[in-house]
Amino acid sequence: MTFDRSIKIAPSILAADFANFGAECAAVEAQGADWIHVDVMDGHFVPNITFGPATCAAIRPHIKGVMDVHLMITPVDPYIQAFADAGADVLTAHVEAGPHIHRTLQAIRGAGMKAGVALNPGTPAAAVEELMDMVDLICVMTVNPGFGGQKFIDVTSKIAALRDMIGDRPIHIEIDGGVDPNTAPLVAKAGADVLVAGSAVFKGGSVDHPDPYGENIRNIRAAAEGVWT
């Protein structure tokens, strides 16, 4: 991975066809997706269960670019190596998921991955202020984690505060939840560069009819770049 602050669209496979993940990943990449976002949920930290390292390993051969794995689980540390072995490029843990986030981030980098830290909507930017030299990505949740298709929660002031904290460090700000052409300009203006979108990307299309994926991706990107400086 190389670092830049251009807008990147990261479709969440949580909104894809569960019976056809490999082809879905290839289809959205062919239609212009920059990253593939994998939401891992455990039914404990969040009220839903999705996938684990085996799914990541299965789709990895179908992904040419970045596989961005978002862990909504607790504990995190016992599973870090499994996700590294599965081919994750970025592994993100929630600051709320355990008492030793600094140690977790060290372990993620030690396993050869980029380290991300995620913040729930009710968690302030200050919670990661002491982690700025430990992370490669900060994921700002704009929904309460656990389910796709939720309404966007406006935390643009928190995004802007994080952007100020980051300064010139090579850290991505990722937005996860309710991203579409209407909300993309708000988060991009505040300083975000990686936009996770699920239903807003996958709606209207399929592996056999992927053109709507491309149109949806282009619309989100154009909306964000309209205010990006």
Side-chain angles (χ1 to χ4, degrees), residues 142 150-154 156 159 175-190 192 195-197 200 219-220 223-224 227:
T142 43
Q150 297 184 62
K151 185 178 179 181
F152 176 83
I153 298 171
D154 188 347
T156 47
I159 299 167
I175 305 302
D176 189 353
V179 172
D180 60 25
N182 296 314
T183 57
L186 302 177
V187 296
K189 184 177 181 180
L195 308 185
V196 175
N219 288 342
I220 296 169
V227 298

Side-chain angles (χ1 to χ4, degrees), residues 108-135:
I108 292 171
R109 282 185 166 180
M113 297 172 287
K114 298 293 186 182
V117 63
L119 297 170
N120 283 335
T123 302
V128 297
E129 191 168 7
E130 300 302 320
L131 302 173
M132 287 294 156
D133 294 319
M134 292 297 303
V135 297

Side-chain angles (χ1 to χ4, degrees), residues 67-164:
M67 183 162 72
D68 173 35
V69 179
H70 176 192
L71 301 183
M72 286 167 272
I73 69 173
T74 184
V76 171
D77 294 9
Y79 303 99
I80 290 171
Q81 190 59 52
F83 284 101
D85 293 342
D89 296 296
V90 183
L91 193 67
T92 296
H94 272 257
V95 71
E96 307 91 356
H100 305 298
I101 186 64
H102 191 283
R103 179 185 298 162
T104 297
L105 296 170
Q106 282 182 315
I108 292 171
R109 282 185 166 180
M113 297 172 287
K114 298 293 186 182
V117 63
L119 297 170
N120 283 335
T123 302
V128 297
E129 191 168 7
E130 300 302 320
L131 302 173
M132 287 294 156
D133 294 319
M134 292 297 303
V135 297
D136 303 289
L137 177 146
I138 301 172
C139 176
V140 180
M141 298 300 299
T142 43
V143 298
N144 287 297
F147 297 96
Q150 297 184 62
K151 185 178 179 181
F152 176 83
I153 298 171
D154 188 347
V155 293
T156 47
S157 61
K158 178 161 65 176
I159 299 167
L162 289 167
R163 187 71 197 84
D164 287 342

Side-chain angles (χ1 to χ4, degrees), residues 165-185:
M165 285 182 198
I166 288 169
D168 60 0
R169 297 178 180 90
I171 300 173
H172 297 290
I173 297 180
E174 178 176 77
I175 305 302
D176 189 353
V179 172
D180 60 25
N182 296 314
T183 57

